[in-house]
Amino acid sequence: VVGSDNNGSLYAPMSSLLTLRYTDPDLAADECSASAVINSLTPDVDIAIQLIDPADGVATVGEFIRFDITVSNPGTTDLTSLTLTNTFNASQLTFTGASLTPSVTASGSLTWNINVTIPAGQSFTIETYFTGGAPANTAVSTASVSGVDENSVAVSAGPVNDDVLITDPEITINKFLTDPPAGLHLVGDTLTFQIDITNTGNTNLATLPLSDDFSAACLRFVSAVPAPNGSGAGSLVWNDLGALATGATTSVTTQFV
């Protein structure tokens, strides 16, 4: 830009620091000054996504899961129109709602059309809510944003993502009489039972407590392998049978008369 003297305009390159000083023509001691930086009119947009709940990053199937998506305007112009997209594996993450209702909802995809002004330096956050749909080592939620600023200049950011581990812990337990295997049992006979516990889930079990209840009026406890931590009043208790890997089975044998 070519200027001229005394035309009422001040020209300077972007990022210049301007310092203006004024001296009262009638009182030389009366001076004041001010400084300012000439900012570039550069539009910009940024996006981030964060797993909020569960805080430890591990959810079980059916458990509540929350991701927060934050869109910010770090530029120097206002953003006037944005489209925010969130994608995910619908078999792993079941969408249940959001703090701002999506403009479009599809299987594994959410879209928000944001047609309000986002001033320079401001941001907004949308909370998204899911439940764990199926076990997954990495259930990913991905977000991206695009749009224009007040001067119709295009901006975009993303994709960004965060993830959650979804587990499905489960066990099966079976108890059956092993000795005598069949027939009538007389008073005083020794009865042997076996309890089988199998880890049918998709994660290893770190601890495994067990309780076994019986009729104290009909049965008297004799022994068990492994021995219980407590017994009495028709109940046996094991505080921890130990770790149990996925697909593994552990057994407890009990004897009564």
Side-chain angles (χ1 to χ4, degrees), residues 7-252:
N7 72 345
S9 299
L10 180 64
Y11 301 93
M14 295 295 181
S15 302
S16 297
L17 174 64
L18 301 182
T19 300
L20 305 179
R21 294 185 176 85
Y22 171 79
T23 302
D24 191 324
D26 298 321
L27 183 59
D30 184 7
E31 294 184 350
C32 62
S33 64
S35 298
V37 176
I38 299 178
N39 292 320
S40 172
L41 294 179
T42 303
D44 198 5
V45 68
D46 196 13
I47 190 169
I49 187 169
Q50 182 181 7
L51 175 68
I52 301 299
D53 200 359
D56 64 357
V58 181
T60 58
V61 171
E63 185 178 349
F64 173 77
I65 298 170
R66 169 184 161 189
F67 290 94
D68 281 8
I69 304 171
T70 299
V71 176
S72 58
N73 179 0
T76 56
T77 61
D78 293 346
L79 302 177
T80 55
S81 178
L82 295 173
T83 298
L84 170 61
T85 302
N86 180 210
T87 58
F88 50 90
N89 186 323
S91 67
Q92 299 170 348
L93 294 169
T94 303
F95 176 66
T96 60
S99 58
L100 178 65
T101 302
S103 305
V104 179
T105 302
S107 178
S109 177
L110 308 172
T111 302
W112 291 266
N113 297 319
I114 311 297
N115 295 314
V116 296
T117 298
I118 312 301
Q122 299 298 306
S123 65
F124 66 90
T125 298
I126 297 177
E127 301 173 6
T128 58
Y129 313 128
F130 303 86
T131 57
N137 289 331
T138 307
V140 180
S141 181
T142 301
S144 59
V145 65
S146 62
V148 296
D149 78 337
E150 59 187 305
N151 301 311
S152 298
V153 178
V155 294
S156 63
V160 295
N161 61 71
D162 203 355
D163 59 77
V164 61
L165 169 65
I166 302 177
T167 65
D168 189 20
E170 187 175 354
I171 61 171
T172 59
I173 185 167
N174 293 295
K175 182 178 181 180
F176 50 94
L177 182 66
T178 61
D179 187 28
L184 294 176
H185 312 309
L186 303 178
V187 174
D189 285 351
T190 298
L191 305 177
T192 303
F193 294 89
Q194 181 172 321
I195 304 170
D196 289 339
I197 305 167
T198 302
N199 181 352
T200 53
N202 73 329
T203 58
N204 297 331
L205 301 178
T207 59
L208 188 63
L210 172 68
S211 64
D212 181 24
D213 296 331
F214 59 93
S215 173
C218 300
L219 297 173
R220 178 174 60 85
F221 172 65
V222 175
S223 64
V225 179
N229 299 104
S231 63
S235 180
L236 305 175
V237 175
W238 291 262
N239 294 336
D240 183 12
L241 294 174
L244 191 63
T246 300
T249 298
T250 189
S251 298
V252 174

